Amino acid sequence: MKRKRLLIALLVIGVVLWWFGFYVTSFIPDDVRRFLIYAGPVIIGICAGRLHRLRRLARDPALRRKDAAQNDERNMAIQNQAGMIAGGVIVILLSFSAMAFSLITSLGVPEWISYFLFGICVCYLLLYEILYQWLQRKM
Amino acid sequence: MKNRLEALRKARGIKQEELAEALEVSRQTIGSLENGRYNPSILLAFKIARYFGTTIEDIFIYEEGET
């Protein structure tokens, strides 16, 4: 139920963003409007798909059993571990790329790209620390 | 951690698929449990014990020094 409410809220946000992109022309720059016109339907599509799946799960006990088996504790542990390793590797790759782009000037990569990549790494570390502290208190 | 899951299942003539369905886990999870590659959560351990009408200690064998 909680997930359904969250998905409906996100769906509404998607519709609002799309509507803004099309009809609010006075104070939103054109490139931002173009972004909203694409981002809105993506959010709507993802949420509608998830809601449709939730509805099917609620109606079909066989599908619900299959879903429960596919998302059992071992599979969840595998997914969590895979996600953790992939996340760590991506952050290392991003930080090395950022270093390479900023130090090897012959690559000709604009400076802001290095800062952007470093920013993503810092965000990951901050988010990790916040979530770690939060989960420590929660569990 | 060692366990007697496979022996208990075979003694009852149950297939891995049937046990998996009863416990609401995948067949692969049953296989991993039986091989000792995966240790269940306390909830799943209770479910397994209740299914076989026995206790957790009867199924799962903890040996000192295990992590």
Side-chain angles (χ1 to χ4, degrees):
Chain A
M1 201 64 199
K2 204 174 169 184
R3 191 192 283 183
K4 192 178 171 185
R5 272 193 215 136
L6 180 71
L7 285 170
I8 290 169
L10 283 170
L11 190 83
V12 172
I13 290 170
V15 172
V16 170
L17 288 179
W18 201 21
W19 184 83
F20 261 82
F22 272 115
Y23 297 107
V24 184
T25 53
S26 53
F27 61 91
I28 299 177
D30 272 353
D31 44 359
V32 176
R33 278 185 50 229
R34 267 200 302 277
F35 169 74
L36 293 179
I37 287 168
Y38 283 108
V42 170
I43 296 170
I44 293 167
I46 291 169
C47 293
R50 293 273 168 99
L51 281 168
H52 177 64
R53 182 158 175 75
L54 282 181
R55 213 173 126 194
R56 278 184 63 204
L57 281 172
R59 288 179 176 181
D60 187 347
L63 186 66
R64 206 161 49 237
R65 273 198 301 275
K66 197 177 163 193
D67 185 73
Q70 276 171 353
N71 294 303
D72 67 1
E73 59 173 53
R74 176 175 158 271
N75 284 327
M76 292 308 289
I78 291 169
Q79 282 175 32
N80 290 342
Q81 202 166 346
M84 198 181 70
I85 294 168
V89 170
I90 290 293
V91 168
I92 290 167
L93 284 176
L94 282 177
S95 55
F96 269 97
S97 306
M99 266 194 294
F101 291 159
S102 65
L103 296 174
I104 308 170
T105 48
S106 58
L107 289 173
V109 178
E111 208 176 359
W112 68 267
I113 289 181
S114 302
Y115 289 124
F116 181 71
L117 295 179
F118 270 127
I120 290 175
C121 296
V122 170
C123 278
Y124 173 86
L125 293 172
L126 279 175
L127 199 58
Y128 178 88
E129 193 56 37
I130 291 165
L131 288 172
Y132 181 79
Q133 297 293 339
W134 179 62
L135 289 169
Q136 282 268 21
R137 281 196 204 104
K138 203 179 160 198
M139 287 183 183
Chain B
M1 187 160 44
K2 287 178 187 167
N3 65 70
R4 301 196 306 121
L5 191 59
E6 190 175 3
L8 281 168
R9 179 178 63 76
K10 283 184 175 168
R12 294 202 176 196
I14 309 163
K15 287 181 185 168
Q16 281 191 340
E17 287 86 352
E18 291 165 338
L19 181 59
E21 199 178 326
L23 298 172
E24 293 180 319
V25 296
S26 62
R27 190 196 56 75
Q28 288 85 350
T29 298
I30 299 297
S32 292
L33 286 166
E34 288 183 355
N35 292 333
R37 284 198 307 264
Y38 175 69
N39 291 326
S41 69
I42 192 80
L43 284 174
L44 183 55
F46 267 114
K47 266 188 176 181
I48 293 167
R50 292 226 171 124
Y51 180 83
F52 287 108
T54 183
T55 59
I56 291 176
E57 290 90 340
D58 267 348
I59 303 173
F60 298 97
I61 304 129
Y62 174 74
E63 288 168 343
E64 285 301 323
E66 277 189 83
T67 51

